[in-house]
């Protein structure tokens, strides 16, 4: 990414000048701190000493899952109105006909959204360092969980930018982006669980192909990818890609979605520019 991109510099300065950016970051860290503190207090008062001494094995997964849920909710809002807001302010025609190439606009807008997303995500590192110090979780698993969250955030921002190029109203673009993210992280696992529940009603055991489809759907989910590492949910030995970790297939799937979203967004910007 070109750091001298004028669109990127302008967007980052505009985003960080107001108080909203600092309020969102502060609210994000405070929310995580409150959740971790409440769980630790409850554990300290009610759980046996052996459990309290390994509190990191409970607090770290909770902290990572809450972060993943927050990323699903806030990442679409960072880039979903990038182009829609330009249209609403009637500045999009000036932007698209300027000397800035469509690729410059694309990477400037998406890069600014990702910069703020990474700032928010890595703002929780002191908290994760604290839960890691309580023991019960491996540093490698935490690093993989952060990789899954970073790739998921990049994918959500890229998909939201694509919707922003297609929908004129900023509110509708944000709503559509949020629905698309919910479908990706909730509908596909729900479909897999539905198939699993359906299989329990069969008189005979479900076929291997049926179970393979269920686990392939789960392999696209970031929560399943994190759960496979922390706390470490085993995968049946008779399913496809058993030897391949879930987080690897999830990351590859999301990177493909990211590349497709950015490519379609670039084509859309180039088409609009050719019309004007």
């Amino acid at each position: 990414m070109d750091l001298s991109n004028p669109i990127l510099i302008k967007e980052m300065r505009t985003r960080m000048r107001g108080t909203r950016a600092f309020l969102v970051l502060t609210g994000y860290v405070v929310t995580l701190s409150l959740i971790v503190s409440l769980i630790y207090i409850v554990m300290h008062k009610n759980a046996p000493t052996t459990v309290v001494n390994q509190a990191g094995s409970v607090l770290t997964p909770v902290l990572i899952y809450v972060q993943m849920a927050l990323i699903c909710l806030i990442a679409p809002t960072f880039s979903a109105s990038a182009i829609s807001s330009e249209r609403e302010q009637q500045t999009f025609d000036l932007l698209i006909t300027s000397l800035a190439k469509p690729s410059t606009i694309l990477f400037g807008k998406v890069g600014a959204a990702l910069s703020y997303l990474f700032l928010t995500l890595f703002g929780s590192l002191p908290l994760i360092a604290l839960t890691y110090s309580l023991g019960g979780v491996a540093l490698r698993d935490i690093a993989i969980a952060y990789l899954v969250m970073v790739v998921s955030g990049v994918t959500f921002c890229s998909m939201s930018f694509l919707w922003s190029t297609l929908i004129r109203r900023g509110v509708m673009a944000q709503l559509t982006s949020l629905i698309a993210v919910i479908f990706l992280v909730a509908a596909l696992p729900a479909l897999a669980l539905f198939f699993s529940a359906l299989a329990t009603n069969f008189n005979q055991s479900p076929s291997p192909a049926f179970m393979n489809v269920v686990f392939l759907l789960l392999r696209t989910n970031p929560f399943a990818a994190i759960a496979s590492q922390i706390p470490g949910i085993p995968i049946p030995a008779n399913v496809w890609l058993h030897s391949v970790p879930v987080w690897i297939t999830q990351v590859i799937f999301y990177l493909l979605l990211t590349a497709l979203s950015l490519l379609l967004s670039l084509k859309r910007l180039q088409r609009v520019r050719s019309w004007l």
Side-chain angles (χ1 to χ4, degrees):
M1 183 180 297
D2 185 9
L3 296 180
S4 62
N5 186 321
I7 305 296
L8 174 64
I9 296 173
K10 180 260 182 187
E11 289 291 328
M12 291 182 66
R13 287 178 176 172
T14 303
R15 189 181 296 271
M16 298 305 294
R17 274 177 182 160
T19 58
R20 180 185 175 187
F22 298 97
L23 290 176
V24 171
L25 179 59
T26 303
Y28 180 81
V29 176
V30 169
T31 301
L32 295 177
S33 302
L34 288 176
I35 293 174
V36 171
S37 300
L38 288 174
I39 294 176
Y40 182 77
I41 291 173
V42 172
M43 286 182 61
H44 187 70
K45 289 186 176 180
N46 302 294
T49 307
T50 53
V51 177
V52 176
N53 291 338
Q54 295 289 317
S57 61
V58 176
L59 295 178
T60 302
V62 170
L63 182 60
I64 289 176
Y65 292 143
V66 172
Q67 282 193 90
M68 190 67 242
L70 290 176
I71 289 172
C72 293
L73 294 176
I74 64 177
T77 64
F78 290 166
S79 60
S81 60
I83 298 300
S84 301
S85 63
E86 296 282 354
R87 286 196 173 100
E88 290 178 340
Q89 298 170 9
Q90 299 183 347
T91 56
F92 180 62
D93 291 346
L94 295 175
L95 177 64
I96 199 67
T97 55
S98 66
L99 295 178
K101 300 177 181 177
S103 58
T104 303
I105 299 173
L106 169 67
F107 290 109
K109 294 280 189 181
V110 177
L114 291 179
S115 300
Y116 186 64
L117 176 66
F118 294 158
L119 179 64
T120 305
L121 180 60
F122 291 118
S124 65
L125 283 180
L127 285 174
I128 204 71
L130 179 62
T131 60
Y132 172 71
S133 67
L134 296 176
V137 65
L139 186 59
R140 175 181 177 275
D141 294 336
I142 294 177
I144 291 174
Y146 266 79
L147 173 64
V148 170
M149 288 191 289
V150 166
V151 172
S152 301
V154 172
T155 303
F156 298 156
C157 284
S158 302
M159 289 173 53
S160 301
F161 183 81
L162 174 61
W163 288 115
S164 179
T165 62
L166 298 173
I167 301 175
R168 291 183 173 274
R169 303 290 297 178
V171 175
M172 289 303 299
Q174 290 189 0
L175 181 61
T176 307
S177 302
L178 192 57
I179 292 173
V181 170
I182 291 174
F183 174 81
L184 199 59
V185 301
L188 291 181
L191 193 61
L193 294 176
F194 172 75
F195 285 155
S196 300
L198 195 63
T200 58
N201 295 324
F202 293 163
N203 294 327
Q204 299 178 348
S205 299
S207 65
F210 182 87
M211 294 307 300
N212 285 325
V213 171
V214 171
F215 277 90
L216 283 180
L217 288 174
L218 288 177
R219 279 182 173 275
T220 65
N221 187 267
F223 289 96
I226 294 173
S228 67
Q229 295 297 126
I230 307 174
I233 298 176
I235 304 174
N238 57 346
V239 298
W240 292 337
L241 304 175
H242 167 71
S243 59
V244 179
V246 177
W247 67 268
I248 291 181
T249 55
Q250 186 271 332
V251 167
I252 293 175
F253 177 67
Y254 269 45
L255 288 178
L256 290 175
L257 280 181
T258 301
L260 179 63
S261 299
L262 294 178
L263 179 62
L264 293 176
S265 300
L266 184 60
K267 293 291 184 184
R268 174 66 177 171
L269 293 177
Q270 289 174 337
R271 184 178 300 175
V272 173
R273 188 171 192 173
S274 65
W275 288 344
L276 299 176

